[in-house]
Amino acid sequence: MVMVAAFVGTLFYVVTIIDSPNSVSIPFFCIFMSIWATLFVEFWKRKQARYAMMWGMEGSELAAEVRPEFTENAFVHNDAISPITGENELYFPPTIASFRRFVALSIIFICGFLVFLVVVSIFTLKAILTIKSNLFGTRKSFADVSVNQKPVRNWGILQKWQLVDISSQISGVVIALLNALQILWFEYILSALAKQLTDYESHRTDTEYEDALTSKTFVFQFINSF
C-alpha cells in the first residue's frame, strides 16, 4: 500500500509542477491520503492479528508478567479476590490510577503550552527584528552613509567597515540558533519527564509501561519538533 501512495503522490507532484503549487488537484490528493491512511491502519491490524495467530502470540499481553516496580508500589496490595479465578491478585485502586493519569495529562498539557509560548516568543522576536531592522534600530543602507559621517555601530560592526548591511542575515542566524537550542533543551527535559510520568502512573506490565512511555514521548516530540 505504501507503493500506491508513493505512485499517486508522484502523479500529483508532477501535476503541481505543470500547473502550479495551488493546483485544484491538491484537495483531491488530501482526500485520497485521508482514505489511504485509514485503510493502511485497518489492513495492518488485520495482518497483525493474522501473524499473532500464526505465531501463537494471541493473548500474550494477558499473560505478561507483573513488573517488579508495580509490586513495590505502596498502594498495591494482594488481598483482593479475583472474581474469575477466586485467588488473591495484586490490586491497584482505580481511583488512584485515574488520579495519576489525570496528573500526568495535566503536566503534558502545561508543558505543551510552555513550548508553545517559547516558540511564539521566538517568532515574535523575529518579527520585531524584521520591523526594527535590528535590536537597536540603527540599520542604515550603505548609500546613506557618507565618508565623513560618524560611523554607526550595527551589531557591533562599524558601518564603514562592513560595507553592506547584514542586520537581517544576523537576525536570521540568531533566531535559527535560538530555535535549535529550544528544541534540543526541551527534547532533553521532556524525554526525562515522560519517563518520570510513566513511572508515576505505575503500570502493571512491561507492555503497558512501554505503550504509555511511547505515547508520551511521541506527544512531546510532536509538540516540540513541529
Side-chain angles (χ1 to χ4, degrees):
M1 290 190 66
V2 177
M3 295 301 297
V4 174
F7 176 75
V8 175
T10 303
L11 291 180
F12 276 98
Y13 177 70
V14 173
V15 170
T16 56
I17 293 178
I18 298 175
D19 189 4
S20 70
N22 298 323
S23 174
V24 295
S25 61
I26 297 299
F28 296 99
F29 178 68
C30 296
I31 295 174
F32 166 78
M33 289 304 300
S34 300
I35 298 175
W36 175 87
T38 303
L39 293 177
F40 180 83
V41 173
E42 294 303 321
F43 278 109
W44 173 251
K45 289 180 181 178
R46 180 184 299 180
K47 180 178 290 188
Q48 184 181 25
R50 183 167 63 249
Y51 283 145
M53 294 183 64
M54 290 173 55
W55 298 337
M57 299 297 294
E58 189 176 10
S60 60
E61 294 187 3
L62 299 177
E65 296 184 359
V66 178
R67 299 174 61 243
E69 294 83 355
F70 180 78
T71 59
E72 296 172 358
N73 193 310
F75 294 98
V76 175
H77 49 86
N78 62 350
D79 55 356
I81 304 299
S82 173
I84 299 176
T85 63
E87 299 178 353
N88 290 347
E89 66 176 5
L90 295 175
Y91 177 76
F92 188 52
T95 54
I96 298 178
S98 299
F99 174 76
R100 292 192 174 192
R101 285 194 295 268
F102 173 76
V103 172
L105 289 175
S106 300
I107 294 177
I108 291 173
F109 176 79
I110 294 174
C111 291
F113 185 70
L114 290 177
V115 173
F116 175 77
L117 289 180
V118 172
V119 173
V120 170
S121 301
I122 292 176
F123 281 95
T124 301
L125 177 60
K126 179 180 181 180
I128 293 175
L129 294 179
T130 302
I131 295 173
K132 293 293 186 180
S133 298
N134 60 34
L135 275 175
F136 309 103
T138 58
R139 181 176 182 177
K140 292 175 179 281
S141 63
F142 180 68
D144 297 335
V145 181
S146 63
V147 177
N148 298 325
Q149 186 177 354
K150 184 179 179 180
V152 177
R153 290 190 177 275
N154 195 354
W155 294 93
I157 305 175
L158 292 177
Q159 182 80 39
K160 68 176 184 178
W161 290 352
Q162 68 180 40
L163 299 181
V164 293
D165 191 353
I166 57 175
S167 300
S168 59
Q169 290 88 336
I170 294 180
S171 64
V173 172
V174 171
I175 296 302
L177 180 62
L178 288 176
N179 196 30
L181 291 176
Q182 169 258 320
I183 292 176
L184 292 176
W185 186 76
F186 272 111
E187 180 179 359
Y188 174 77
I189 297 297
L190 296 179
S191 297
L193 181 60
K195 187 177 184 305
Q196 292 294 327
L197 291 177
T198 308
D199 292 337
Y200 174 72
E201 290 177 340
S202 187
H203 294 278
R204 179 183 294 267
T205 63
D206 287 329
T207 301
E208 295 177 358
Y209 180 87
E210 293 296 335
D211 290 344
L213 179 60
T214 301
S215 61
K216 290 181 181 61
T217 303
F218 173 79
V219 171
F220 281 144
Q221 292 291 343
F222 179 81
I223 294 174
N224 187 42
S225 300
F226 299 100

